[in-house]
Amino acid sequence: MSLEPKLGAALYQRIRNDLEASIMSGAWPPGHRVPFEHELMATYSCSRMTVNKVLSALADAGLVVRKRRAGSFVSRPRAQSAILQIPDLKAEVEKRGERYGYRLLELRKRAASLHDKARLGVGGRATILALRCRHEAEGLPFAVEDRLINVQAVPDALKQDFSMTPPNTWLVGHVPWTEAEHRITACNADKGVAADLGIEQGAACLVIERRTWRNGEPITAVRITHPGQLYNLIARFTPTG
C-alpha cells in the first residue's frame, strides 16, 4: 500500500491545524488576510489542491471567508442578536435607530477571588479584569454590564482603553470563541442596579448571563441587566430549526 495518501492527509491536517491555531489564538484577528495559496504552497512545499482543500474546510467551518481574487480572510463574528448568538450592545441600540451611549463605571485588575473563579471557571492564581459599565439608548440607561475577563486567555484586554470602547464590542469584534453558554433570567433590581439603570429598587429586570470558551479555556463571564420594559428576546424558527 502506498504511503503517499497517508502523507498527503498528514500534511493537510498539519496545515489546517496551523491555520486554525493562528485564528483561534487571536494571532490572526477578524479581517486578517490569510496567506495566499501560492504563499502556503511555498511554506509547506505542497500542491495547490492541498491548500485549496484546507481553505475550503476552514470556510465551511465559518473560520474564514474566501473572496475571489482578493484571497481568504478571518471571519468577523456575527453581531446580530438572537438567543444563541453573541450580541454587540452598541450594534443592538443602533439597529433600533437610537443613539448609543456608553460609560465605564468601574475597572479593576485583580487576583481572582473564589467567587470570580466559580463564575468564570478558572483555577489557581488566575488574574482577571473586572469591569462594570452602562450602555445607553437615546441618553437613557439600556443595560448594566458586569464582566470578568480571563487575562491569561485574553492578554490584549490589558492594553485596551475600555473607557472609550465597550468591552462587549471589543470582544465580539476581536476575540474568537468556540463555545458559549447563555442563561436568561428575571430579577428585581437591587439598590446598585436600580441606581445605575435609573429605575426604582425592586423593578423588574431581564438578566442575560453568558460565558464563552476557546478550546476549553474560559474567556469571559458577563452578566447584562436590562430594565424589563426596554428589551425583547425574539427568535424566529422554522419546523426544521
Side-chain angles (χ1 to χ4, degrees), residues 134-149:
R134 182 171 61 223
H135 304 267
E136 300 176 350
E138 293 296 337
L140 298 176
F142 179 69
V144 170
E145 176 180 347
D146 286 294
R147 182 180 294 276
L148 302 179
I149 298 176

Side-chain angles (χ1 to χ4, degrees), residues 148-159:
L148 302 179
I149 298 176
N150 180 9
V151 171
Q152 180 176 330
V154 194
D156 282 352
L158 296 175
K159 305 174 186 176

Side-chain angles (χ1 to χ4, degrees), residues 73-190:
F73 300 84
V74 177
S75 298
R76 296 185 181 278
R78 296 180 180 177
Q80 299 96 326
S81 175
I83 292 176
L84 297 179
Q85 294 176 337
I86 305 294
D88 173 6
L89 293 180
K90 182 176 185 293
E92 282 287 298
V93 171
E94 293 176 343
K95 185 178 180 181
R96 291 156 56 117
E98 298 175 334
R99 176 173 48 87
Y100 174 79
Y102 164 78
R103 182 179 178 186
L104 179 65
L105 302 176
E106 184 179 355
L107 171 64
R108 291 180 58 198
K109 175 188 172 185
R110 66 176 187 237
S113 67
L114 290 177
H115 178 72
D116 294 334
K117 291 177 181 179
R119 184 179 163 198
L120 187 54
V122 294
R125 299 180 178 178
T127 300
I128 58 104
L129 200 60
L131 305 100
R132 183 176 177 85
C133 48
R134 182 171 61 223
H135 304 267
E136 300 176 350
E138 293 296 337
L140 298 176
F142 179 69
V144 170
E145 176 180 347
D146 286 294
R147 182 180 294 276
L148 302 179
I149 298 176
N150 180 9
V151 171
Q152 180 176 330
V154 194
D156 282 352
L158 296 175
K159 305 174 186 176
Q160 302 307 309
D161 183 0
F162 289 118
S163 67
M164 300 296 294
T165 303
N168 179 274
T169 299
W170 182 76
L171 287 163
V172 166
H174 292 83
V175 180
W177 53 274
T178 57
E179 185 180 357
E181 174 187 270
H182 277 75
R183 182 170 178 262
I184 303 169
T185 59
C187 77
N188 297 110
D190 61 22

Side-chain angles (χ1 to χ4, degrees), residues 198-236:
I199 57 179
E200 292 185 3
Q201 188 171 343
C205 296
L206 175 73
V207 179
I208 301 174
E209 294 178 278
R210 182 170 61 249
R211 293 194 295 170
T212 55
W213 295 264
R214 182 170 60 228
N215 296 330
E217 182 179 32
I219 297 175
T220 186
V222 63
R223 177 183 172 94
I224 299 175
T225 305
H226 294 273
Q229 78 278 12
L230 286 186
Y231 198 78
N232 293 317
L233 284 172
I234 300 174
R236 187 171 182 175

